[in-house]
Amino acid sequence: MRLFIAIRLDRHIQDGLEAIQLYLRDNGVKGNFTKIENLHLTLAFIGEYPDPEYVLDAMRQISFQPFEIYPDGFGAFGDLYWVGIRADNQKLENCVKRLRRTLSENAIPFDRKKFVPHITLIRRACFDSKRGFPGDITIPGDSMRVNYISLMRSDRGKNGMIYTKLGDISAD
């Protein structure tokens, strides 16, 4: 199973991000836009792993206080475009550190790249070079309270990726 641990987004955050996706489409950007129901903030990407119950057991070993996340900034990794999360979020950083340390202690492999909090909006983005990439992207100002994190499964479907929640752990 292809697994990852994420913060699933509230509907009001999804709506704001969907508005950005529509703006990009309306301004000639093409690519693989993330389905609204699939928008999330990845905390740890595990990849292929056969035992989701073992991962959930490891996740239950951590504790974290509820915290807020704020969409902030727009960026890219090559042709992947994303909305960031405000950087001055110590509670988010602490949650990710505890989570990744617990995965390591339980010998659960995960992608060890530096944590750059972002929500992927579009992969393989392309746009008309004459028009350029649309500017003036307004990031929704709403915040979201994080009360739980989720273990997710990723499957390739006929119409793109299908993400299934396998379990949650709640904040203290």
Side-chain angles (χ1 to χ4, degrees), residues 13-14 28 39-40 49 58 62 70 80 88 90 100 128 138 146-147 162:
I13 298 291
Q14 290 175 333
L39 292 169
H40 66 277
Y49 194 77
I62 72 163
Y70 302 85
L80 183 147
D88 59 346
Q90 197 59 50
R100 290 177 171 207
D128 184 342
T138 302
V146 176
N147 292 308
I162 300 166

Side-chain angles (χ1 to χ4, degrees), residues 82-100:
W82 47 263
V83 166
I85 300 296
R86 191 175 296 161
D88 59 346
N89 195 326
Q90 197 59 50
K91 288 185 177 182
L92 170 60
E93 293 290 333
N94 290 341
C95 178
V96 170
K97 285 178 187 173
R98 281 193 291 277
L99 174 64
R100 290 177 171 207

Side-chain angles (χ1 to χ4, degrees), residues 99-165:
L99 174 64
R100 290 177 171 207
R101 183 173 43 244
T102 300
L103 293 173
S104 288
E105 290 168 354
N106 286 277
I108 298 169
F110 63 94
D111 186 342
R112 294 179 182 266
K113 287 182 196 146
K114 181 181 183 309
F115 179 61
V116 178
H118 67 280
I119 302 163
T120 300
L121 297 180
I122 181 173
R123 288 176 175 81
R124 291 190 285 286
C126 58
F127 48 92
D128 184 342
S129 60
K130 292 176 189 169
R131 288 175 73 178
F133 194 82
D136 297 329
I137 294 171
T138 302
I139 307 301
D142 291 340
S143 68
M144 180 187 126
R145 185 168 182 82
V146 176
N147 292 308
Y148 61 91
I149 59 177
S150 303
L151 177 62
M152 304 294 294
R153 176 179 165 175
S154 173
D155 296 294
R156 188 168 306 279
K158 284 192 285 187
N159 298 317
M161 300 307 291
I162 300 166
Y163 297 155
T164 306
K165 180 183 79 161

Side-chain angles (χ1 to χ4, degrees), residues 38-89:
N38 285 352
L39 292 169
H40 66 277
L41 171 60
T42 300
L43 305 179
F45 179 76
I46 296 168
E48 293 296 327
Y49 194 77
D51 192 351
E53 282 306 315
Y54 187 68
V55 177
L56 281 168
D57 288 343
M59 289 171 62
R60 290 182 189 108
Q61 296 172 25
I62 72 163
S63 66
F64 67 96
Q65 297 296 314
F67 57 89
E68 299 285 321
I69 57 172
Y70 302 85
D72 186 36
F74 189 79
F77 303 129
D79 63 357
L80 183 147
Y81 286 81
W82 47 263
V83 166
I85 300 296
R86 191 175 296 161
D88 59 346
N89 195 326

